[in-house]
Amino acid sequence: MSSPGASGPLHQVSHPLLQHHLTRLRNQLTQPIEFRNLIRRVAVLLAYEATKDLETSPLPIETPLVATEGMALKQSVGLVPILRAGLGMVDAVLDLIPQAEVWHLGLYRDEKTARPVEYYKKLPHSEPVDVALVLDPMLATGGSASAAVSTLRAWGVPKIKLLTVIASEEGIAAVHAQDSEVQIFVTTVDPELNDQKFIVPGLGDAGDRIFNTFKQRD
Ligand code: PRP
């Protein structure tokens, strides 16, 4: 199910493979090596959906037999992983769109306030990409995604798509309250956030599970 049409704001992508992989991701017994692979597989399926409306232009070519006309992507695409967890999605999507530009945004959520703190941003002054695919497995309060969207709008990006594995209803509403044009592609929408602003049932902390950094920090 993808609603409501290719240009609509929320696309809940329902597919047996996604449901299967999501269940493995949610399972606390799933170890980081498998978790990383699952994130990559889900990222590919989300990116497939999210890129269905990319524009193409005719391209004359010659096959070994005849001259014919093919198509080439017309728009420039930027992948924008939100560090750290978004890094787990980059390589898989880059395999699909090898010519994409990759622009990293460093944001972490302050543990006390749950507000995003920016620690890395280095966008060029030159022309922005036509389409930005923001990559982050989790959309909880929506603070980090909203900050990323603001940064990309300030750069001048006309079309922004957010690819996320699990979103909360609150997070989706927050992103769309700030910018109703952002398209969100998600495997599932979980109903609530707990007291620490973690998505429930969720899958825990995606960054820690990808990078195997569960150890209690000082
Ligand atoms: C997580 C997640 C998102 C953000 C979601 O990152 O990957 O970036 O929190 O929460 P929000 O919607 O309430 O902003 P985290 O801050 O844990 O950083 P990490 O990726 O480095 O683990």
Side-chain angles (χ1 to χ4, degrees), residues 77-90:
V77 177
L79 309 185
V80 185
I82 300 182
L83 308 182
R84 291 174 301 163
L87 286 176
M89 301 170 75
V90 176

Side-chain angles (χ1 to χ4, degrees), residues 11-45:
H11 300 253
Q12 192 169 336
V13 186
S14 182
H15 188 290
L17 289 173
L18 279 172
Q19 300 310 318
H20 180 82
H21 298 328
L22 175 64
T23 303
R24 295 292 304 160
L25 283 167
R26 286 193 193 277
N27 192 330
Q28 64 170 343
L29 298 178
T30 299
Q31 297 300 303
I33 186 167
E34 184 187 359
F35 193 91
R36 286 192 280 273
N37 285 330
L38 290 163
I39 287 285
R40 284 196 277 266
R41 282 176 212 142
V42 170
V44 168
L45 294 166

Side-chain angles (χ1 to χ4, degrees), residues 4 9 48 60 64 96 136 163 173 177 179 183:
Y48 177 81
L96 277 186
D136 193 334
L163 278 59
D179 190 324
Q183 294 176 16

Side-chain angles (χ1 to χ4, degrees), residues 3 12 16 27 56 73 98 111 129 133 142 148 178 183 189 208:
S3 68
Q12 192 169 336
N27 192 330
T56 55
L73 287 182
E111 283 180 11
V129 292
L133 305 182
Q178 178 188 297
Q183 294 176 16
V189 180
D208 280 342

